[in-house]
Amino acid sequence: MLVDSPPEQRAETAPAPPSRRAIRVVGLLVSVVTLMLVAVASIAIGAKALSVPEVWHGLFEESGTYADVVVADRLSRTVLGLLVGAALGLSGAVLQALTRNPLADPGLLGINAGASAAVVTAISFLGVTSLSGYVWFAFLGAAAVGAVVWFLGGSRGATPVRLALAGTAISAALYGYLQAVMILDNAALNRMRFWTVGSLSSANDSTIAQVLPFLLAGSVLALALARPLNAVAMGDDTAKALGANLIRTRALSMLAATVLSGAATAACGPIVFVGLMVPHVVRSFTGPDLRWILPYATILSPVLLLGSDVLGRVVARPAEVQVGIVTALIGGPVFIFLVRRRRLAQL
């Protein structure tokens, strides 16, 4: 006759359910593998499709074949996509925590507008024509607008609402200036038309070298802010009770977001929705803890950006649709869905 073991013994011998932390770690590893596959696809797929052996040969063996040249060109494009995607995702996650607005993105604080206005000024009034020149003007424009928004938002007394309002006002003014200059200057219009769409097609080693130090510094700073931003996201009173320095955290968060999105915009032009969609989607399965949101956003944002770039190359062969257009076409419906879901949740 079989006798059941006592409930206490059954509880001790039953396998423990996987912890949420273990699930998050596994998800992070799956995300890394996905990113690697998308990166390989970014190198292999284009006007000329390459096999995996050709990609391997072009990456690790010296030769002078046409395929190797294609791999070299696409490698720069892929590396820049990895860096820019990670920067946009991180900056979006930081800004959503800073403003306590889950639908915030780098454009909310006028950073994209500042970079674009600086580039059109350089083209129209200073005669700058090279991409290397655009990079520095775009970055300086983004940094200047970040500083102005911080000042108008109250600097030491800045609040999420003030920062968002200041950024919106600055963006409106700068985009008005941008359109006026482009209408009055046909040369500026022709040169800006391609840059403002957002593209990875002009990637090269020089551009990567110029923006890499800023992207690395901004990424390290953003990741280091995860714990204090967790406190700030709970509200000012709770953050103070937990010992968080609100002024320092907000200032450093503004700095990190400005450096990341400014450098990304300088390298590729303004690419929309990446910094909004990925952190918001990530939050749905990681929860509100930024110690998990930031690493996930760093990995999955390049997946979206490179995947969109690959899609843009496939749908219009042998030409291509710029990645900024693809992300806008994907992001528009997703944004509408997110807004409608938030409204329904509030009913």
Side-chain angles (χ1 to χ4, degrees), residues 207-330:
T207 302
I208 294 173
Q210 290 180 72
V211 300
L212 182 60
F214 299 103
L215 294 177
L216 291 178
S219 298
V220 171
L221 179 58
L223 292 170
L225 288 169
R227 191 178 295 274
L229 275 174
N230 273 340
V232 171
M234 297 179 185
D236 291 1
D237 293 338
T238 303
K240 290 177 181 177
L242 293 173
N245 188 320
L246 291 176
I247 296 174
R248 182 177 62 191
T249 300
R250 285 175 178 154
L252 291 177
S253 298
M254 276 287 299
L255 177 62
T258 299
V259 170
L260 287 169
S261 55
T265 303
C268 303
I271 297 177
V272 296
F273 286 117
V274 175
L276 183 154
M277 284 191 294
V278 176
H280 190 84
V281 172
V282 164
R283 192 180 295 106
S284 66
F285 60 85
T286 64
D289 192 345
L290 283 157
R291 292 174 297 178
W292 289 101
I293 292 175
L294 294 181
Y296 265 99
T298 304
I299 296 170
L300 292 179
S301 295
V303 171
L304 174 61
L305 187 63
L306 288 177
S308 299
D309 190 43
V310 171
L311 180 62
R313 291 183 237 170
V314 171
V315 297
R317 279 180 174 170
E320 68 177 70
V321 179
Q322 305 305 324
V323 66
I325 297 175
V326 178
T327 58
L329 291 175
I330 296 173

